[in-house]
Amino acid sequence: GLDIFLDSAEKDYKLYLKKFAFENIKTRFKDERTKYFESIEKNIDAINKQVVAFPLTFSASIFASYQVKEKPIILFFILAAYCFYSVIAWMILNVSSGNLIALKGEVEKEEATIKKIDDNLFEDFREDFQKVFHKLKEITRLIGVLRFALAFLFLLFLGFVWYQTFKLPETILPETIFVIS
């Protein structure tokens, strides 16, 4: 009867280790999930600053350009400053995008690790992974829209400066009097 007792004890021990490992993985993943969301929030904060800065910078540049429309050299200085701002904003968006790509890689690695351990264990975390991936996808989409907006506003400002600098002087048309009979 000792063999049955030892076999039962070994099965109980393996079950205990599996439950212990499951709890460790669950706790570790909850910590990791919190880190993922904190990292996403930091990227959102950086992007939010850009969202607010785009229209303010564009508006200030247009206003300043309109005020000095008779002085083309100053218009070009304003254009150079706006160009410099646009390059920096583009680089900030690139950094945020790179952070999100790296974070996505970490999440995918964590997902693969949990899947490898146990499919049933993964099912407990599937919804969490879906939330993280959804948020990453939405922020990545937002970065794309911001890049488009940044490029569009730059081209719009470039067109405005070009128009203010090179527009043809208004010609005085002879006055015509129409007689209604």
Side-chain angles (χ1 to χ4, degrees), residues 27-121:
T27 302
R28 192 183 97 229
F29 179 72
K30 285 182 182 181
D31 292 340
E32 291 294 319
R33 183 184 62 187
T34 302
K35 288 178 189 174
Y36 296 149
F37 281 116
E38 286 173 357
S39 180
I40 290 171
E41 291 302 320
K42 286 179 186 176
N43 281 292
I44 289 173
D45 288 342
I47 293 167
N48 280 343
K49 291 175 186 172
Q50 293 300 313
V51 169
V52 171
F54 287 175
L56 292 176
T57 305
F58 181 74
S59 300
S61 298
I62 290 289
F63 179 74
S65 299
Y66 187 74
Q67 295 299 315
V68 295
K69 63 184 173 186
E70 302 301 324
K71 301 173 185 170
I73 192 73
I74 295 175
L75 279 173
F76 286 113
F77 284 134
I78 294 170
L79 177 63
Y82 191 75
C83 180
F84 185 66
Y85 162 78
S86 296
V87 167
I88 290 171
W90 193 273
M91 291 171 71
I92 290 170
L93 290 174
N94 283 346
V95 168
S96 293
S97 180
N99 289 343
L100 293 174
I101 290 168
L103 182 62
K104 184 178 179 189
E106 289 177 29
V107 174
E108 287 172 343
K109 185 177 175 184
E110 184 77 18
E111 181 183 40
T113 300
I114 292 176
K115 278 182 180 177
K116 191 182 344 179
I117 292 170
D118 187 2
D119 282 337
N120 292 328
L121 174 63

Side-chain angles (χ1 to χ4, degrees), residues 136-174:
L136 288 171
K137 181 180 173 185
E138 291 298 314
I139 296 170
T140 302
R141 183 178 295 140
L142 176 62
I143 288 174
V145 170
L146 288 174
R147 283 180 175 159
F148 173 79
L150 183 63
F152 178 74
L153 289 175
F154 178 76
L155 292 175
L156 195 62
F157 185 67
L158 185 64
F160 175 78
V161 169
W162 181 83
Y163 175 76
Q164 289 296 337
T165 304
F166 300 111
K167 71 178 179 178
L168 296 175
E170 295 178 18
T171 56
I172 301 174
L173 299 173

Side-chain angles (χ1 to χ4, degrees), residues 10-26 117-121:
E10 189 174 326
K11 287 180 183 176
D12 287 342
Y13 178 70
K14 286 181 181 179
L15 182 62
Y16 170 76
L17 288 179
K18 190 171 184 177
K19 285 183 182 180
F20 181 73
F22 174 77
E23 289 304 318
N24 281 342
I25 291 168
K26 197 172 188 179
I117 292 170
D118 187 2
D119 282 337
N120 292 328
L121 174 63

